[in-house]
Amino acid sequence: MTDQALAKTKSAEPWRQRLIRSLLYGRNVDRTAKARARVGFAILAFAAIYAVLAGRLVMFAVGADSHGARRTASQDAIATARPDIVDRNGEVLATDVKAPSLFGEPRRIIDKDEAIELLTATLPDLDTGEVRDRLSSKKGFVWLKREITPTQQLDIHRLGIPGIGFLRENKRVYPTGAEVAHLIGLVNIDNQGIAGMEKWLDNNGLADLHRAGFATDRLQKPVELSVDLRVEHALRDELMKAKEKFKAKAASGIVSNVKTGEIVALVSLPDFDPNNPREAHDPDRINRLTTGVYEMGSTFKAFTLAMALDSGKISLNSMWDARGNLHYGKFTIHDSHSLGRFINTKEVFTYSSNIGAARIALGQGVEAHKAFLAKMGQLHRLRTELPESASPLVPRRWSELNTVTIAFGQGLSVAPLQAVMGINALMNGGYLIPPTFMKRSEEEAMALAKRVIKPETSDKMRFLMRLNAEVGTAKTADVKGYYVGGKTGTSEKVINGRYAKKQVLNSFTAIIPADNPQYQLLVMLDEPKTTPETHGFITSGWNAVPTGGKVIARIAPLLGIEPRFDLPPSDRLILAASKPTQ
């Protein structure tokens, strides 16, 4: 066809067809070349589609667990990441490590019976019925076993079961084991805090960060506690030895900074290993220092004397009638070592006279006694970072008889940490400072402090504590060079509504050094037994006091307290530096 004829044909073609042909083929284009280009483009498109499909098949083959990981990682792995917990020197007390967990996708499992048989043979502790129920469900994802070992993971991986995979989760581990168990607490299988400082972290923002997705793995600042792991170890070691030596039911202790309220060490035996959570459920392994409440015995005489001295109504030389027992109604108050004479205030403390303490408290009056103990934080529940705490057992109707018995430590039960807080105030110049398990400076402590007694009253109480280590019931804890002060306590336990003379709770409160107190130590032994060394005695001076002395000898150098020798007695070193006393 000639060009002229072709032009006539195009001119005869409707304009709509010419437009479509122009859009499809363009103008003056070789149709043969255009056809080859289209075929090549189609080949490339199909090749790309098949490449994508092949790639997805390879991903499923070599990364079976990634499917479940996408579903649960944000909820189980990243969301449960926790910050490290360290002691005041940076030693790790709790941290996260990665551990594989086994999961199944029931919809992808081809032969469930075979899968169940292989899995239970590889992991004998799996419950066959439970695994069958989970793999027979219509869910897209089920846990089969949390926190398996790498060896178990490899064995299961070699089985090549479709629909079975692994997810790496954060697992909480405690490198120090039981050393700080009651303080640190523990977490559950989902890495959520359920006790101790771990629970406190969740209650104070960590759980909210998890829900918001901001608590990402390893990006959280370590939590610094006030505890010193070295002191904690020394205290626990000596308490374990004492518990075994005196066949005690339990043993516990606290080391507290009297100027900041920081808890430097806290031990309650028997304890548990937070790496083995089952042990924590034993009811005998409670934290006796915060969740237990006890009659603290003669250590409460420190409060009784401080109350009276602070009122100005008595002096260190006031005299008290201890010639015979004190009869109050049908009750008789007696001393374990009767002196049969008038004694002064100093002797009431050093001889631990129940009669003298009762007469001092009666002289102040019921309302004044009750008000003073309330001011010292002994009548209300103590709140700290530890969620576990108990309310004191306070008499419903506070009569004169209650004042008589509480004066020497019977009839009022408090958490030992409460008593430590109160004694700190008697020693540090008169400031009641809330205890804490977090690092705190003296400036921060003073911002929270409340004055409860006069500075000169604190001087007199430090003098009495030191005097008791020089000539009184705390002599066996007087470690040379550290100017120890202390007060003993032996409280008979109430068994079936009666006080049992052979079942006692012994305590010993020590301060170091007595002329300028830095730290307080509390040692408690529950139901210690006699030994040949104690000559049949079970009172505090024969067991809790020497245990306290051994603890002081070990922890004083760790706390940076330098030994000083040839120091003058307490009346010259402590009282001489204070205001004149009567």
Side-chain angles (χ1 to χ4, degrees):
M1 184 181 292
T2 63
D3 292 342
Q4 185 176 4
L6 182 59
K8 289 180 178 180
T9 302
K10 288 182 179 181
S11 62
E13 185 179 15
W15 67 270
R16 292 185 183 87
Q17 291 183 9
R18 290 200 306 272
L19 177 62
I20 293 172
R21 183 163 51 79
S22 176
L23 292 174
L24 289 175
Y25 303 112
R27 297 177 180 276
N28 303 318
V29 175
D30 186 345
R31 292 188 182 182
T32 302
K34 194 74 173 181
R36 284 198 298 268
R38 289 198 196 106
V39 172
F41 177 76
I43 293 173
L44 288 175
F46 279 107
I49 292 172
Y50 281 111
V52 170
L53 293 176
R56 294 293 290 171
L57 290 174
V58 172
M59 288 175 63
F60 279 122
V62 300
D65 60 347
S66 64
H67 187 65
R70 282 195 303 277
R71 298 183 184 184
T72 60
S74 62
Q75 299 174 359
D76 293 280
I78 297 176
T80 55
R82 304 180 68 84
D84 287 351
I85 300 179
V86 300
D87 82 338
R88 65 185 307 111
N89 300 312
E91 295 294 330
V92 176
L93 305 178
T95 189
D96 279 354
V97 297
K98 292 292 185 181
S101 290
L102 178 67
F103 70 84
E105 295 176 288
R107 298 171 188 170
R108 297 184 58 225
I109 296 178
I110 300 172
D111 189 335
K112 289 184 172 59
D113 291 330
E114 181 187 27
I116 294 167
E117 182 179 347
L118 292 173
L119 289 173
T120 53
T122 307
L123 300 176
D125 57 337
L126 282 180
D127 183 88
T128 303
E130 184 177 350
V131 174
R132 184 177 299 278
D133 290 342
R134 294 190 179 188
L135 293 184
S136 299
S137 71
K138 296 181 180 180
K139 296 180 179 179
F141 178 93
V142 293
W143 285 119
L144 297 178
K145 184 173 176 57
R146 308 290 286 274
E147 298 176 1
I148 63 176
T149 67
T151 301
Q152 291 172 328
Q153 180 186 17
L154 180 60
D155 291 341
I156 296 171
H157 182 74
R158 286 172 175 168
L159 298 176
I161 306 173
I164 299 297
F166 309 95
L167 175 64
R168 295 184 70 206
E169 294 188 281
N170 287 298
K171 177 184 177 182
R172 200 64 161 171
V173 296
Y174 303 91
T176 59
E179 289 279 354
V180 288
H182 286 297
L183 196 159
I184 289 292
L186 70 164
V187 298
N188 61 16
I189 192 66
D190 294 315
N191 230 23
Q192 299 167 338
I194 58 175
M197 294 302 295
E198 293 281 28
K199 185 174 182 179
W200 177 82
L201 283 176
D202 281 28
N203 292 342
N204 285 267
L206 183 59
D208 294 333
L209 288 176
H210 285 157
R211 286 189 285 269
F214 293 126
T216 54
D217 191 20
R218 315 308 300 168
L219 295 181
Q220 301 173 71
K221 182 181 178 181
V223 177
E224 294 182 305
L225 302 187
S226 58
V227 65
D228 187 322
L229 187 58
R230 303 168 305 167
V231 178
E232 179 84 7
H233 174 77
L235 175 61
R236 183 173 183 268
D237 186 52
E238 291 298 336
L239 287 175
M240 290 180 69
K241 292 176 182 177
K243 181 176 180 293
E244 181 179 356
K245 178 178 180 178
F246 299 107
K247 303 296 186 288
K249 178 181 177 181
S252 52
I254 297 175
V255 177
S256 172
N257 186 316
V258 303
K259 295 184 177 181
T260 65
E262 293 172 295
I263 304 304
V264 181
L266 180 145
V267 176
S268 179
L269 302 174
D271 51 19
F272 61 93
D273 185 350
N275 295 302
N276 182 13
R278 293 182 181 180
E279 294 182 354
H281 300 303
D282 185 343
D284 196 40
R285 299 176 188 269
I286 64 168
N287 182 355
R288 288 170 163 78
L289 298 166
T290 61
T291 61
V293 291
Y294 309 95
E295 294 181 352
M296 296 299 292
S298 293
T299 54
F300 248 58
K301 289 171 183 166
F303 294 117
T304 304
L305 269 65
M307 169 185 63
L309 289 168
D310 201 59
S311 72
K313 295 180 180 179
I314 74 167
S315 71
L316 291 173
N317 296 316
S318 298
M319 301 301 292
W320 309 96
D321 187 359
R323 291 175 295 176
N325 294 339
L326 173 63
H327 298 281
Y328 199 90
K330 63 179 181 179
F331 298 95
T332 300
I333 311 302
H334 61 85
D335 289 337
S336 57
H337 302 288
S338 178
L339 297 174
R341 60 179 175 83
F342 279 86
I343 58 177
N344 61 35
T345 304
K346 292 176 285 189
E347 292 175 311
V348 170
F349 198 80
T350 55
Y351 288 107
S352 199
S353 171
N354 293 340
I355 297 170
R359 293 191 185 280
I360 290 173
L362 284 173
Q364 298 299 305
V366 172
E367 293 305 319
H369 188 207
K370 186 176 180 180
F372 183 81
L373 290 178
K375 181 172 65 172
M376 300 301 296
Q378 303 303 300
L379 303 187
H380 303 285
R381 184 178 181 181
L382 175 63
R383 300 285 186 176
T384 66
E385 293 88 356
L386 288 187
E388 302 82 22
S389 63
S391 298
L393 300 180
V394 182
R396 291 183 179 180
R397 180 180 174 275
W398 196 301
S399 64
E400 281 193 349
L401 179 60
N402 295 116
T403 282
V404 167
T405 59
I406 292 172
F408 55 83
Q410 286 186 356
L412 173 65
S413 298
V414 301
L417 184 57
Q418 273 184 285
V420 167
M421 175 182 66
I423 298 295
N424 277 350
L426 301 183
M427 299 295 110
N428 67 14
Y431 293 99
L432 188 70
I433 302 173
T436 181
F437 294 92
M438 306 294 289
K439 290 182 73 172
R440 178 197 283 167
S441 67
E442 289 190 28
E443 292 74 18
E444 292 170 333
M446 290 308 297
L448 301 170
K450 180 177 68 174
R451 179 170 286 284
V452 288
I453 61 171
K454 303 169 187 173
E456 52 267 32
T457 303
S458 180
D459 292 338
K460 295 172 185 176
M461 293 308 302
R462 291 189 285 109
F463 159 73
L464 290 174
M465 293 284 272
R466 174 57 191 168
L467 184 64
N468 199 37
E470 291 174 350
V471 300
T473 56
K475 287 186 291 186
T476 54
D478 187 17
V479 181
K480 299 303 179 184
Y482 294 112
Y483 215 68
V484 177
K487 184 71 188 80
T488 57
T490 300
S491 57
E492 297 173 355
K493 298 179 69 173
V494 178
I495 307 296
N496 298 323
R498 294 177 176 270
Y499 284 103
K501 294 186 179 295
K502 298 297 182 181
Q503 292 174 282
V504 297
L505 177 68
N506 288 349
S507 58
F508 173 56
T509 299
I511 57 167
I512 48 175
D515 60 322
N516 182 24
Q518 303 295 317
Y519 297 93
Q520 179 189 167
L521 165 69
L522 172 67
V523 169
M524 297 179 66
L525 297 177
D526 191 355
E527 297 186 20
K529 306 300 187 295
T530 61
T531 69
E533 296 177 25
T534 66
H535 308 290
F537 294 103
I538 57 172
T539 51
S540 176
W542 292 96
N543 40 62
V545 175
T547 300
K550 293 177 181 178
V551 172
I552 291 170
R554 290 184 63 175
I555 70 173
L558 299 175
L559 294 170
I561 301 175
E562 296 183 2
R564 298 170 298 159
F565 300 98
D566 301 323
L567 292 175
S570 54
D571 57 342
R572 289 166 50 196
L573 183 60
I574 299 176
L575 288 186
S578 65
K579 294 183 178 181
T581 59
Q582 298 179 353

